[in-house]
Amino acid sequence: MADEGAARTDGGGRPLTRTWAAPVRRAMTRMLSPVDGPRRREHAPPSARSAIVDCALYIDGERQPGEWQYAEALAAARREGQRHAFVWLGLHEPDAAEMADIAETYGLHELAVEDAVKAEQRPKLEQFGEVSSLVLRTARYVGEGELTETSEVVETGQVMLFIGPAFVITVRHGDACRLSPVRVDLESKHDLLLQGPWSVAYAVTDRVVDLYVEVADQVEVDLDRLESEVFGRHSHGRIQRIYQMKRELVEFKRAVMPLQRPLITLTAQVNRDVPKEIRRYFRDVQDHLTRTVEQINSYDDLLNSVLQARLAQVTVDQNNDMRKIAAWAAIAAVWTAFAGIYGMNFTHMPELGWTYGYPVVLAVMLSISLALYRFFRKNGWL
């Protein structure tokens, strides 16, 4: 009886799985087994593989005609190993069962497979034997119209790539970055496809970073509008909108910042897994990412300044309100003082018997009030 962890072979005796295929099977079996005991997982029928967006075989930089099953495509690519052959398998939000079957066929490590299913990872680059795992956080600008306290400005997702000697698997979560345009554009670049699976990794990373640049430019427009509202002549910018913008910027920052370290690794001279020509392309992507990182840092500083300025404006507005209240209270105190004095009901008080006493007192109170009003108005209290 064959060992469960032994590698499967095609008709030519070539291995189709890595040595960790058995651990992946066992891990996925535990996830999928019912509570009453383990049960052997059957391969899902082709019609149920809704997560597979596209599966293509490329030989000498050209896509081969026909529809390919991922196992058959991998076997064909390995048979044509000396002719720059590789498989590009595209997935969209696969479930654990389907991902387990693909992991068994392509020899993916169980930890990387778990990351691909959960899609809650930060950008990183890991190596599992001959297979590299690259995680990218995607982002796109979705802001429309006026910024409110609940507006969504930046939508994020995830793309995970498995890059092997004869294959590349892209696992996309969310709609922040669609990969169909990337595939169409890359298939028109024959010389780049000749570089193998890492050409796909470059193309996807370049597309993700280009979206970062677009988001950063759109966020700058929103920040300019927000700044104008705060420092305008008739300022009415609410602090809640500034906080909402800051939350969206933090989400964008979490997607962009951690990608710097993986790109440094991919462009390093000591990295022999990535072809030399592709490292040059990755350096161009790194330049674009550096520009975006600098923009985000400046936006963060600007937003903090706008927030502090708005808080200072609120304090000044409160002080102005207190001065207005104090000024009107002083004017009202004149009338209160006169009314208090003449309300004492003493028998001998000045001017009680004078015919013109009442209108004179009213005139005096009004004159003092007008004088105080002009004084406060002149000094900016009213």
Side-chain angles (χ1 to χ4, degrees), residues 157-207:
Q158 176 179 301
V159 171
M160 188 169 184
L161 297 96
F162 297 94
I163 306 102
F167 66 87
V168 56
I169 302 174
T170 55
V171 184
R172 178 171 63 91
H173 289 265
D175 294 324
C177 177
R178 296 183 178 274
L179 300 182
S180 298
V182 177
R183 188 186 290 266
V184 172
D185 181 65
L186 188 59
E187 288 176 353
S188 66
K189 300 177 180 178
H190 176 268
D191 293 339
L192 189 58
L193 274 175
L194 283 175
Q195 300 298 322
W198 280 103
S199 64
V200 177
Y202 153 72
V204 173
T205 307
D206 183 55
R207 175 58 179 164

Side-chain angles (χ1 to χ4, degrees), residues 8-293:
R8 297 188 310 172
T9 59
D10 59 10
R14 295 174 179 81
L16 295 183
T17 58
R18 309 281 181 213
T19 56
W20 49 65
V24 173
R25 263 198 319 274
R26 289 194 296 268
M28 290 302 176
T29 301
R30 289 194 300 268
M31 296 171 60
L32 299 171
S33 296
V35 295
D36 56 350
R39 183 176 59 188
R40 184 178 180 182
R41 179 181 53 80
E42 300 294 338
H43 292 292
S47 60
R49 304 189 192 280
S50 58
I52 298 179
V53 179
D54 197 357
C55 180
L57 173 64
Y58 297 90
I59 300 178
D60 289 335
E62 298 290 340
R63 177 168 180 162
Q64 301 305 298
E67 295 184 0
W68 294 84
Q69 296 295 325
Y70 56 81
E72 299 172 355
L74 180 61
R78 286 173 173 165
R79 284 195 300 269
E80 302 289 342
Q82 301 300 320
R83 298 180 58 195
H84 306 286
F86 69 94
V87 179
W88 181 358
L89 176 62
L91 306 174
H92 179 231
E93 299 181 355
D95 57 22
E98 188 168 8
M99 200 64 206
D101 191 51
I102 294 172
E104 180 181 347
T105 302
Y106 284 79
L108 307 180
H109 196 277
E110 58 181 314
L111 296 178
V113 172
E114 183 180 359
D115 292 345
V117 174
K118 292 185 177 180
E120 297 174 354
Q121 306 301 311
R122 68 198 305 268
K124 61 181 179 179
L125 176 64
E126 294 180 315
Q127 191 75 25
F128 298 96
E130 294 183 336
V131 180
S132 298
S133 171
L134 176 62
V135 178
L136 305 172
R137 297 295 299 178
T138 59
R140 70 170 177 174
Y141 180 82
V142 295
E144 296 181 0
E146 183 180 359
L147 179 67
T148 65
E149 291 83 352
T150 58
S151 296
E152 183 181 13
V153 178
V154 180
E155 178 188 350
T156 58
Q158 176 179 301
V159 171
M160 188 169 184
L161 297 96
F162 297 94
I163 306 102
F167 66 87
V168 56
I169 302 174
T170 55
V171 184
R172 178 171 63 91
H173 289 265
D175 294 324
C177 177
R178 296 183 178 274
L179 300 182
S180 298
V182 177
R183 188 186 290 266
V184 172
D185 181 65
L186 188 59
E187 288 176 353
S188 66
K189 300 177 180 178
H190 176 268
D191 293 339
L192 189 58
L193 274 175
L194 283 175
Q195 300 298 322
W198 280 103
S199 64
V200 177
Y202 153 72
V204 173
T205 307
D206 183 55
R207 175 58 179 164
V208 169
V209 174
D210 284 345
L211 287 176
Y212 290 167
V213 175
E214 295 177 10
V215 172
D217 292 340
Q218 292 292 337
V219 168
E220 184 176 9
V221 175
D222 287 341
L223 286 177
D224 290 341
R225 186 186 304 119
L226 196 61
E227 187 179 13
S228 300
E229 292 177 357
V230 170
F231 294 101
R233 184 179 181 89
H234 303 287
S235 175
H236 61 279
R238 299 185 62 182
I239 293 180
Q240 290 86 343
R241 289 190 291 177
I242 303 177
Y243 273 116
Q244 176 64 18
M245 191 67 190
K246 191 168 183 62
R247 283 196 296 267
E248 294 295 311
L249 188 62
V250 167
E251 182 179 359
F252 184 38
K253 192 174 182 179
R254 288 174 178 171
V256 176
M257 295 296 190
L259 185 57
Q260 296 178 91
R261 186 180 294 274
L263 281 183
I264 291 174
T265 303
L266 290 173
T267 56
Q269 294 292 336
V270 296
N271 191 333
R272 301 305 177 188
D273 295 325
V274 183
K276 182 178 179 180
E277 186 65 24
I278 296 298
R279 289 204 301 268
R280 296 176 182 174
Y281 283 97
F282 271 120
R283 278 194 287 271
D284 180 68
V285 176
Q286 187 179 21
D287 291 340
H288 293 167
L289 181 67
T290 301
R291 171 199 163 187
T292 306
V293 168

Side-chain angles (χ1 to χ4, degrees), residues 308-368:
Q308 294 299 322
R310 183 54 188 152
L311 290 174
Q313 286 180 342
V314 171
T315 302
V316 171
D317 292 341
Q318 291 176 343
N319 291 337
N320 289 334
D321 292 339
M322 292 302 298
R323 288 195 301 178
K324 290 179 181 180
I325 294 172
W328 286 113
I331 294 174
V334 174
W335 296 74
T336 304
F338 275 86
I341 292 173
Y342 280 91
M344 294 181 186
N345 296 322
F346 288 111
T347 302
H348 302 288
M349 291 186 67
E351 315 302 341
L352 284 179
W354 189 29
T355 305
Y356 302 103
Y358 178 68
V360 169
V361 171
L362 289 178
V364 171
M365 290 191 294
L366 184 60
S367 299
I368 296 175

